[in-house]
Amino acid sequence: MEEVINGMSGSPPEDQQIYTKDETGQYKPVSADNPLALYQINCGGDASSEPISILGAGAAAGSTFYPKDGVTRRDTDIVVYYGSSTATTTATFDTFLIDINNRESVLPGIRQNQRFAQVTSANVGDVVLYTVPAGCIFKVEYTAPTGGGTINIKGVVKLMADKGYQLSGALLDRVQTESIRDGYLYNGLRGLFRWRAALAKALNGDVLSTICVYGSSSVVGQGAGGGGVAGLLTYGKNKLEKGFVGRLRSALAKQAGDVGSGIIPHWWTWWYTFAGTWADSSVGGMLNIHSKRGETVGSSVTVTFTGTSFSVVGIEGSEGGKFTITMDGGTPQEFNSNGSSEAAKEYKYNGTLTNSSHTAVITVTELVAGKARSGFALIGVMYGSTSQTGVKVHQIGYAGGKTDQIATNRTNYKPTTVDFWKPDLSIICFSSNDYSGQTDLATFRTQTQTAITQCKRFGDVLLVPVGITPADKSIPITEYSKIYRELALLNNCAFYDTYARYDNSFTFAKETLQYVSSDNTHMNDYGHQDISSSLYKVLTNV
């Protein structure tokens, strides 16, 4: 039963005031007129039970989780019934525990039917009891059903009783959530420890700190640069400055100093003029995208930029060739990309440049004798300042990209995507195309976890779902956002809930806030500026 505890009302000191949320979503302070509701636990009685459905109708191999959203709040016993739609349908079920540190291990259970036994694998018809500790996730992997029909997994959850009073379930969730939430930012205090230290050192003029922003077309800057509500949907150089990443880079430059553009990937073709023979090369690349290799002597690529420094990022290895960088028609500087294997290497132009417009020409001058295909493999260029202190922001985006772009384990792609930059902070902004393509939630979760693990080897991770799209798919976009939030808490990362910032409503974002461009998919300048302003506040006020 639910009982009001009068001792929880009253007027605590202002800095200790407790709030509850009413049915309209408005917060109200706990008082005599708005007491805190609790459940009274029967100290000597049984734990409460409730039926659950873990898998409705599985027709193919896959995996499923309990809880679907978040982690277990308390130590929980689950009696699981493995069933099927026909008597001839069979399948195998393996069980695992994902703990609070996101480590996955085999979870044994006690089979209740037939002969009692400890099992880690079950079959259709088995009834198995599992114990899931508080703060963990119960995972079941299952094979494709055979014999016709589908499989299902149902269960009865038994919540272990505690002594005394406890907050009601919904309120407990809210209190636990609010304790790690600051506005739309979750776990910012603990999830951005290392970033705060890196920013402090950069602002003190001691180091060059690095941020890598990974994502799809919104990270590239699609929709920005046109002004007004309609937005600019054609790609051009102004995306580097007008997209939310570029605006964030500019804001940080005002505080910590301008350190240049960050990487401009070769697939941003509006920056490059290629001549001669250039082909996709599988010797390596970045963000799961091939490098671009000049395969004939004289093949060139031209880049125009403004700044006092210029460098080329390419691949060094046995298939690499010699190339030159010619600046403003001057004397070429020669470089050699043939050598020990490196997934990425920076080749710096070492001439003195004024802070004005320049034209750089990269020309292949020598191939490798006896190699069927060789030459210089280009990943991208960087330009800007010679300063070695500040915050460099790399805008690593690919239009149409999904989370698997950053989760790749391909040789010479994974190191270039993350390891080469050694980011003090990785901002992962995928999910909108996963939603559009309806990526399976279990797959999305696994790929995001892989990306988090890769990035946390060097610094902190901030998960930011970016993109505003109509809610017209069977898997809601908020489900992908929930996985970001869950993984942030499990991995001690930060999560910024941009969808909640738009009231989880495409219509509100488009009609009221006017943040959506004319294609009903990408943010316009207003939307890009809003995300930039909010992230700047997150990064500098943590």
Side-chain angles (χ1 to χ4, degrees):
M1 72 176 182
E2 189 173 272
E3 178 183 351
V4 172
I5 308 300
N6 292 327
M8 294 298 292
S9 62
S11 300
E14 184 174 351
D15 64 345
Q16 298 178 22
Q17 181 65 64
I18 300 173
Y19 291 79
T20 61
K21 189 185 291 185
D22 65 16
E23 63 274 8
T24 67
Q26 300 297 311
Y27 283 98
K28 293 182 179 180
V30 170
S31 65
D33 297 326
N34 183 40
L36 190 63
L38 290 87
Y39 282 121
Q40 185 177 22
I41 301 298
N42 182 348
C43 300
D46 296 330
S48 59
S49 300
E50 61 175 320
I52 59 170
S53 176
I54 302 175
L55 176 67
S63 60
T64 186
F65 303 87
Y66 175 83
K68 298 289 188 184
D69 183 11
V71 297
T72 52
R73 300 195 308 269
R74 309 171 60 192
D75 291 347
T76 304
D77 280 348
I78 308 176
V79 179
V80 176
Y81 299 79
Y82 296 102
S84 61
S85 60
T86 72
T88 59
T89 305
T90 61
T92 301
F93 307 85
D94 296 317
T95 50
F96 304 87
L97 181 74
I98 302 175
D99 68 18
I100 198 168
N101 293 312
N102 208 41
R103 292 188 296 255
E104 184 175 304
S105 57
V106 173
L107 179 66
I110 305 298
R111 190 173 58 202
Q112 307 290 294
N113 62 316
Q114 304 178 35
R115 180 171 57 87
F116 280 88
Q118 179 173 290
V119 295
T120 58
S121 184
N123 300 301
V124 169
D126 282 344
V127 180
V128 185
L129 169 65
Y130 303 93
T131 297
V132 182
C136 296
I137 299 170
F138 174 61
K139 176 183 177 182
V140 183
E141 292 184 353
Y142 48 90
T143 61
T146 59
T150 59
I151 53 175
N152 58 74
I153 308 174
K154 302 183 184 302
V156 176
V157 172
K158 296 182 178 181
L159 299 176
M160 299 179 184
D162 292 329
K163 192 172 182 178
Y165 291 95
Q166 69 171 56
L167 294 174
S168 62
L171 187 55
L172 177 62
D173 281 343
R174 188 180 308 144
V175 171
Q176 289 176 332
T177 298
E178 298 302 328
S179 67
I180 55 172
R181 178 177 176 178
D182 179 14
Y184 300 108
L185 177 67
Y186 290 76
N187 207 33
L189 181 63
R190 297 189 59 83
L192 297 174
F193 268 135
R194 290 188 287 179
W195 162 247
R196 288 196 294 273
L199 178 61
K201 294 171 185 175
L203 293 177
N204 199 51
D206 293 335
V207 300
L208 179 64
S209 297
T210 301
I211 297 174
C212 286
V213 186
Y214 301 101
S216 54
S217 53
S218 293
V219 168
V220 177
Q222 177 70 311
V229 176
L232 182 62
L233 299 176
T234 56
Y235 285 108
K237 287 188 174 182
N238 65 354
K239 303 298 185 188
L240 189 67
E241 299 176 353
K242 295 299 185 179
F244 79 90
V245 182
R247 294 170 190 255
L248 177 63
R249 181 189 297 113
S250 298
L252 289 170
K254 292 179 181 178
Q255 184 179 24
D258 186 358
V259 293
S261 65
I263 187 68
I264 301 174
H266 73 78
W267 59 84
W268 292 11
T269 54
W270 49 94
W271 273 92
Y272 298 90
T273 301
F274 290 93
T277 304
W278 292 83
D280 289 343
S281 172
S282 59
V283 297
M286 183 173 67
L287 208 64
N288 207 22
I289 301 169
H290 296 319
S291 57
K292 184 75 75 174
R293 184 165 58 193
E295 296 185 329
T296 58
V297 172
S299 294
S300 65
V301 57
T302 301
V303 181
T304 302
F305 68 96
T306 298
T308 59
S309 71
F310 181 80
S311 61
V312 176
V313 178
I315 298 174
E316 184 164 297
S318 61
E319 297 180 356
K322 292 182 179 180
F323 66 97
T324 60
I325 299 177
T326 303
M327 194 66 62
D328 299 325
T331 303
Q333 293 184 9
E334 187 174 71
F335 301 86
N336 191 355
S337 66
N338 184 270
S340 59
S341 179
E342 292 188 49
K345 183 174 181 177
E346 183 178 0
Y347 303 90
K348 295 183 179 180
Y349 178 81
N350 55 21
T352 300
L353 299 176
T354 60
N355 190 20
S356 58
S357 178
H358 302 281
T359 299
V361 180
I362 304 160
T363 305
V364 178
T365 57
E366 185 177 309
L367 306 180
V368 181
K371 291 282 187 180
R373 301 187 69 179
S374 67
F376 172 62
L378 173 70
I379 293 174
V381 302
M382 296 186 288
Y383 72 87
S385 167
T386 58
S387 175
Q388 293 303 303
T389 63
V391 179
K392 176 157 283 190
V393 181
H394 295 289
Q395 194 169 340
I396 305 177
Y398 176 69
K402 299 179 182 179
T403 307
D404 61 358
Q405 301 280 155
I406 188 176
T408 178
N409 286 312
R410 294 173 65 183
T411 303
N412 285 356
Y413 289 76
K414 172 185 172 183
T416 311
T417 301
V418 180
D419 298 32
F420 179 69
W421 311 108
K422 295 179 172 56
D424 298 288
L425 176 65
S426 297
I427 305 178
I428 299 175
C429 301
F430 291 100
S431 73
S432 59
N433 285 320
D434 288 284
Y435 162 71
S436 298
Q438 292 287 274
T439 299
D440 175 76
L441 292 178
T443 300
F444 177 73
R445 183 187 190 94
T446 299
Q447 291 174 345
T448 303
Q449 178 59 60
T450 298
I452 290 171
T453 301
Q454 291 177 3
C455 294
K456 278 186 72 70
R457 291 174 296 141
F458 302 101
D460 287 329
V461 173
L462 173 61
L463 301 175
V464 184
V466 174
I468 313 171
T469 55
D472 57 358
K473 307 290 184 182
S474 59
I475 303 176
I477 196 167
T478 50
E479 291 300 308
Y480 297 93
S481 183
K482 285 179 182 178
I483 289 176
Y484 266 12
R485 184 182 67 190
E486 292 166 11
L487 291 179
L489 301 183
L490 286 170
N491 290 276
N492 202 20
C493 302
F495 164 65
Y496 191 76
D497 194 352
T498 52
Y499 297 148
R501 187 175 178 85
Y502 308 139
D503 200 29
N504 292 312
S505 168
F506 171 81
T507 302
F508 182 73
K510 180 176 175 63
E511 303 296 338
T512 303
L513 301 180
Q514 294 189 312
Y515 284 169
V516 184
S517 61
S518 59
D519 67 351
N520 283 343
T521 299
H522 296 94
M523 297 178 291
N524 55 26
D525 282 293
Y526 306 146
H528 278 279
Q529 182 59 57
D530 180 70
I531 292 294
S532 171
S533 298
S534 59
L535 289 182
Y536 177 77
K537 183 177 180 180
V538 166
L539 299 188
T540 57
N541 290 342
V542 291

